[in-house]
Amino acid sequence: MSSVPDPAVVPAPEAQDLQKSRVDPDISDPGASEHGLVTPVLASADVPETTKWEVWSWYAYYIGANGLALFNFGPTAFQNLLSQAAPEDTGLLPFAGRDRNVNSIVLLTNGISFAIQAALFIIIGAYADFGSGRRWILVFWSIVSFGIGFAWLGVHEPSKWEAGVGLYIVGLICYQLTLTYWTAAFPSLARNTPHIKEVARAYADGEISQADYDRQDELERSRLSNTAFCIQSLGEVVILAIIVGILFGVDVNASTEANNRGLSVLITFATAVWLVLSIPWFLIEKKRPGLAIPRHMNIISVGFWQLKEALTKIWHLKQSLIYLVGYFLLGDSLNTTVTVIATLQNEVVAYDTLTLTYLLIVGIVSQAAGIAVYWWLQQRFQLGAKTMFNVVMVGIVLLDGWGMIGNWTDRFGFHHVWEIWLYQAFYGLFVCQWYSYSQILISSVTPRGHEFLFFSLFTIVGKTSSFIGPFVSSAIIDASPGHNNNSAPFYFLFGLTLVSAAGLWLFLDLDKSAREQEAFLIQQKARTALASDSE
């Protein structure tokens, strides 16, 4: 996202002064929309200042939306039902026109889910930056998510595996939608904190340089994103500790049926926690309207116009395009890698709910420690978000290399319980920071006022890549000898990770991106003014 100071604290420049135009490329002229310009309502002195309680309610939502219900235990329950429903002699179930093994079905349903997500993000993202109803998008999909989570309470028998398919697919869709539109709020929160408003004032008065302002802006966004991730991890550990008590209470080790029922109970409990912790954000979030709808458009036509604008803008923002392509490839690799390892993990620990919970606790404690260390290093040595992102990419390359070795030997490569414990620690310490720093980088390449559009665009790209990867991996497994080499996809994933990581490391430049965004916004202002004069 361009580090242009908030127009609420920077005086609007004269049109002929290009140097000052760099300071405030957004147009706050009340009559601009009459000439067809989509003007950010954020360019107003009335934008509410971010408060401490608002930030903490935003953190609280993320503690609830930790993924335990629909992203962790939901997929485990689904795969567990498939494994029990599949005949012992073949291990195959009829799905999508042919007999498939359990891992192939999981990857295929993942791909279907991601394809539907991409379509929804195209529709929703086109409208989300307009008007004042953006917050209701998150509310709506959160409520649907709660319904899916509670529905798992009635699906814990192998004969209901087909119902599990539906809950799994819709659950992943809802979870990704809620996470994306929760994340899209953080650039606005960061840019309206008292600290950044003061920094913007100092820049406008000539007390600090553009580079100083850029640095403070990036650090504030990093602070909110990393703090949210760390607090969510700590909160999730507490939730998991309670879950361990619940598991002993329902005696999941008594029988297979008790283990099945225990998984459904855990999903329901995690969903209930999510519901309770989401309420403060729904009540406290301040109304920060998005873009104004031009006079000659309506809420229907403006969405199509916005999609056209997005496709046009990305070609003018070369660094944004570089990151979009890299995000597409690396996101595909990481998402598919996590899915493949999860299927291997579930097989290695035989779907034991208690063991899976202990593994999650190790992973999340490591995750909290990892993000805290990364954030400390970034502040202590004044490192840029791109530098931290490069370190994360190295971790992803090593992870896929680890899995690829499993094709050559049974001694290493996610074949043993001890490896699964090590994987949880490694992933938490060195890889999971992707989910924070990749979002920080999206905000760094997004033009001001277009947050929801660009976060939707990146999520569409991420989801498009994420259904391609599982489809390819499923095909690789089906084509392997015996149709059951679940490590075979790591050949594809290692190569994809290495190429995409190298491209982002060498070619992505966030300083260039900030200047490109400023130039684009100035050009957009000039084009709009010229068009208005010709009418």
Side-chain angles (χ1 to χ4, degrees):
M1 181 177 296
S2 175
S3 297
V4 181
D6 195 321
V9 294
V10 179
E14 293 297 325
Q16 70 272 20
D17 191 338
L18 293 180
Q19 179 62 24
K20 290 184 179 179
S21 293
R22 180 181 62 82
V23 176
D24 182 14
D26 289 332
I27 301 174
S28 55
D29 176 11
S33 62
E34 295 180 4
H35 301 294
L37 177 66
V38 180
T39 307
V41 179
L42 289 176
S44 166
D46 296 330
V47 177
E49 186 173 274
T50 302
T51 66
K52 177 180 68 176
W53 290 112
E54 188 178 17
V55 171
W56 276 97
S57 68
W58 184 71
Y59 292 157
Y61 184 93
Y62 194 30
I63 296 173
N66 50 54
L68 288 176
L70 303 182
F71 193 72
N72 292 114
F73 289 121
T76 299
F78 171 52
Q79 189 178 347
N80 181 44
L81 294 181
L82 290 178
S83 66
Q84 292 178 29
E88 291 187 8
D89 55 342
T90 64
L92 304 178
L93 286 170
F95 185 77
R98 58 171 294 181
D99 289 340
R100 303 176 186 272
N101 79 350
V102 171
N103 289 347
S104 178
I105 293 174
V106 171
L107 288 168
L108 193 57
T109 50
N110 248 20
I112 293 170
S113 172
F114 290 143
I116 296 172
Q117 288 173 43
L120 287 172
F121 277 117
I122 290 174
I123 296 169
I124 298 171
Y127 299 92
D129 277 313
F130 295 94
S132 59
R134 294 182 298 173
R135 57 185 308 217
W136 297 109
I137 298 173
L138 180 61
V139 173
F140 173 79
W141 287 106
S142 296
I143 292 172
V144 178
S145 298
F146 303 151
I148 295 296
F150 291 134
W152 270 107
L153 194 59
V155 181
H156 50 78
E157 299 171 358
S159 61
K160 296 182 179 180
W161 71 268
E162 291 174 316
V165 170
L167 292 179
Y168 176 69
I169 291 176
V170 179
L172 286 182
I173 291 170
C174 292
Y175 176 68
Q176 292 298 336
L177 284 167
T178 56
L179 199 59
T180 296
Y181 292 120
W182 169 85
T183 305
F186 95 89
S188 179
L189 288 176
R191 288 212 163 96
N192 286 288
T193 59
H195 171 62
I196 290 301
K197 281 183 174 288
E198 174 59 25
V199 170
R201 182 207 59 75
Y203 174 61
D205 292 344
E207 298 173 8
I208 61 174
S209 67
Q210 175 74 56
D212 290 333
Y213 181 86
D214 288 348
R215 184 67 188 146
Q216 291 300 315
D217 180 82
E218 181 184 78
L219 280 174
E220 188 71 359
R221 284 181 281 115
S222 296
R223 181 182 71 83
L224 259 66
S225 181
N226 287 329
T227 302
F229 199 57
C230 188
I231 289 175
Q232 186 254 24
S233 299
L234 295 174
E236 193 171 352
V237 170
V238 175
I239 295 170
L240 284 170
I242 298 172
I243 282 176
V244 170
I246 294 174
L247 291 176
F248 281 109
V250 299
D251 196 11
V252 294
N253 291 326
S255 64
T256 299
E257 291 74 16
N259 187 67
N260 293 352
R261 187 170 59 254
L263 279 171
S264 294
V265 170
L266 295 191
I267 296 170
T268 302
F269 171 74
T271 301
V273 173
W274 183 5
L275 188 158
V276 171
L277 291 178
S278 68
I279 293 174
W281 175 242
F282 294 157
L283 297 178
I284 297 175
E285 181 188 8
K286 293 184 179 179
K287 185 177 180 180
R288 294 185 181 91
L291 304 176
I293 300 175
R295 180 177 55 83
H296 65 286
M297 295 184 188
N298 55 46
I299 191 62
I300 302 299
S301 62
V302 77
F304 293 101
W305 178 87
Q306 182 81 321
L307 284 174
K308 178 177 175 292
E309 282 289 291
L311 295 175
T312 303
K313 286 171 183 171
I314 198 67
W315 298 106
H316 291 280
L317 300 168
K318 293 182 176 59
Q319 292 299 318
S320 301
L321 183 60
I322 288 172
Y323 185 55
L324 186 69
V325 173
Y327 185 81
F328 174 91
L329 296 174
L330 193 56
D332 181 17
S333 177
L334 180 58
N335 287 330
T336 307
T337 296
V338 170
T339 300
V340 172
I341 295 176
T343 60
L344 294 171
Q345 170 182 281
N346 290 333
E347 290 180 346
V348 169
V349 303
Y351 307 97
D352 182 81
T353 307
L354 199 56
T355 300
L356 289 170
T357 303
Y358 287 144
L359 284 168
L360 272 175
I361 291 175
V362 170
I364 293 165
V365 169
S366 302
Q367 176 178 293
I371 196 66
V373 170
Y374 271 51
W375 175 228
W376 180 83
L377 289 172
Q378 185 179 1
Q379 292 182 94
R380 175 67 177 80
F381 298 102
Q382 293 292 292
L383 302 175
K386 171 69 187 311
T387 300
M388 306 308 297
F389 186 74
N390 289 343
V391 178
V392 175
M393 291 194 294
V394 173
I396 300 174
V397 172
L398 293 175
L399 188 63
D400 281 316
W402 181 354
M404 186 170 64
I405 292 174
N407 287 286
W408 310 324
T409 176
D410 290 332
R411 299 176 62 185
F412 193 71
F414 305 114
H415 297 306
H416 307 281
V417 174
W418 68 265
E419 285 188 278
I420 301 303
W421 289 98
L422 181 60
Y423 158 69
Q424 289 291 344
F426 179 86
Y427 183 82
L429 291 172
F430 301 108
V431 177
C432 72
Q433 292 83 354
W434 156 272
Y435 299 102
S436 179
Y437 282 101
S438 66
Q439 301 304 306
I440 294 169
L441 261 62
I442 292 175
S443 71
S444 295
V445 300
T446 297
R448 175 181 293 275
H450 299 280
E451 290 84 1
F452 275 68
L453 171 63
F454 271 72
F455 270 89
S456 293
L457 178 63
F458 273 88
T459 303
I460 291 168
V461 166
K463 294 309 120 184
T464 301
S465 70
S466 295
F467 76 76
I468 292 174
F471 282 151
V472 172
S473 296
S474 177
I476 291 173
I477 292 174
D478 290 339
S480 66
H483 311 294
N484 60 2
N485 181 6
N486 296 322
S487 295
F490 283 111
Y491 288 119
F492 161 69
L493 296 171
F494 179 78
L496 184 61
T497 297
L498 192 62
V499 170
S500 55
L504 285 171
W505 189 306
L506 295 173
F507 300 112
L508 180 62
D509 187 324
L510 297 185
D511 291 332
K512 285 184 180 179
S513 178
R515 304 292 82 79
E516 287 177 358
Q517 291 167 57
E518 292 167 12
F520 172 79
L521 290 171
I522 293 171
Q523 292 166 8
Q524 183 185 53
K525 176 179 178 178
R527 289 195 304 269
T528 304
L530 181 63
S532 299
D533 292 341
S534 64
E535 290 182 355

